[in-house]
Each structure stands twice: as C-alpha cells, then as structure tokens.
Amino acid sequence: MTEDEFDLFYTAAYPRLVGQLYALTGDYAEAQDVVQEAFVRAWDRRVSVLDGNRPPEAWIRTVAHRLAMSRWRRARHWWELVRGESAPRPAPEPSPDHVALVAALRRLPEAQRTAIVLHHLCDLSVEQTAAETGVAVGTIKARLSRGRTALAAHLAEDTHPTEEARV
C-alpha cells in the first residue's frame, strides 16, 4: 500500500473507527487516541497488515480495542492502588519458635546449616542433599548428625538461659 492509498484509507476509515470505539469505550477522546495509535501501528506494519488477507479496517479495530482495554486495565489498577484496595497485605510476624530456629541455624557452620535446611526444610533425601551440595552421602550424614546436635544445644540455650545470662 502506497502513502496515497494509506491516506485515502485513513480518511475513509478513521471517522467510522472512532465512532465504533467511542461506542465501546464511552470516551470520545480515548477513542480518538486508540484509533490513532492503531493507525500508527498499521503504518509500521503496512506490508503485512494492509496488504494481507484480513481486511485492514478489522485489524485496526481489533488493535484499537485491545489498546483501549489495556488502558482501562491500567487505569483501574492505578485507581485500586490509589484507593488502597489492592495494596499488599502485611505479612504476619514470625512466631517466637520461628525466630529462635532461625537464630539457632545462624549459629551453625554453613555446611551443617545447608545440610539441615536442604534435608529437613526442603524435604530432600540424604542422597539428593549430597548431590545438591556436591559432597559424599557419608559427609551429609555426619553434617546432619553434628548439626542436629548443635542445633538442639542452641535451642536449649535459648529456651533455658544459663544462670549467668539471667543476672
């Protein structure tokens, strides 16, 4: 389609399309904007769109309608944010047990902590934990055993502080 043919097509189709989109959106200025944007996109793709099998006016109407819907969704989302309707809800505070567990895990050596987290919290088998960390199965078993022992001691300290810590 040449420039002159596009100009003739634009002149003939623009008022019709604006009227159709105005009926869909209920906003005349919005209808003008989305139809204009659809024509710009059609111009950029004039070889495939305007010379293709589908009627070009139908393609432009579809693009304009999708643009209008997209703008409407963005406006609705913005309005919900402004009104605070879709504001993220605050996460609940962690329980004291969770805080104690995280603090005790932090006190473990990294290798033991990794083995315990992968095996007990991520539900990986000993073999999967070994493959994930790149060490032998026996090493993982030892890290788990030592880590559980140390973790139990740290958790016991946090629950029953020593006499010195109370003073």
Side-chain angles (χ1 to χ4, degrees):
M1 184 177 278
T2 66
E3 278 188 47
D4 291 335
E5 291 171 333
F6 187 83
D7 287 344
L8 289 173
F9 169 65
Y10 176 84
T11 304
Y14 180 79
R16 225 180 3 258
L17 289 167
V18 169
Q20 293 166 358
L21 267 293
Y22 176 46
L24 288 171
T25 63
D27 184 343
Y28 189 72
E30 181 73 12
Q32 289 176 317
D33 286 347
V34 294
V35 170
Q36 187 67 35
E37 176 65 27
F39 269 105
V40 168
R41 291 182 183 192
W43 175 257
D44 292 341
R45 297 168 182 82
R46 64 187 172 278
V47 173
S48 62
V49 172
L50 301 177
D51 296 333
N53 296 336
R54 187 173 184 193
E57 192 168 330
W59 187 90
I60 291 172
R61 183 176 28 259
T62 301
V63 170
H65 184 253
R66 288 179 181 165
L67 287 168
M69 294 307 295
S70 182
R71 287 181 179 193
W72 179 80
R73 283 187 199 108
R74 269 185 263 132
R76 185 183 68 187
H77 179 67
W78 177 83
W79 184 247
E80 288 171 353
L81 288 175
V82 167
R83 291 176 53 199
E85 290 178 359
S86 67
R89 293 184 175 92
E93 291 189 22
S95 68
D97 292 339
H98 180 83
V99 173
L101 177 62
V102 170
L105 281 169
R106 285 185 181 155
R107 295 170 66 183
L108 295 178
E110 184 180 350
Q112 290 176 5
R113 181 174 59 240
T114 301
I116 286 178
V117 168
L118 290 175
H119 183 66
H120 292 289
L121 299 179
C122 297
D123 291 327
L124 296 182
S125 68
V126 173
E127 292 76 17
Q128 290 170 323
T129 303
E132 183 84 18
T133 56
V135 296
V137 171
T139 304
I140 291 298
K141 288 180 180 179
R143 288 178 182 174
L144 285 170
S145 176
R146 291 180 187 132
R148 284 189 290 253
T149 303
L151 191 59
H154 293 316
L155 289 172
E157 286 175 13
D158 290 342
T159 353
H160 306 291
T162 60
E163 194 61 39
E164 297 168 2
R166 285 189 227 162
V167 177

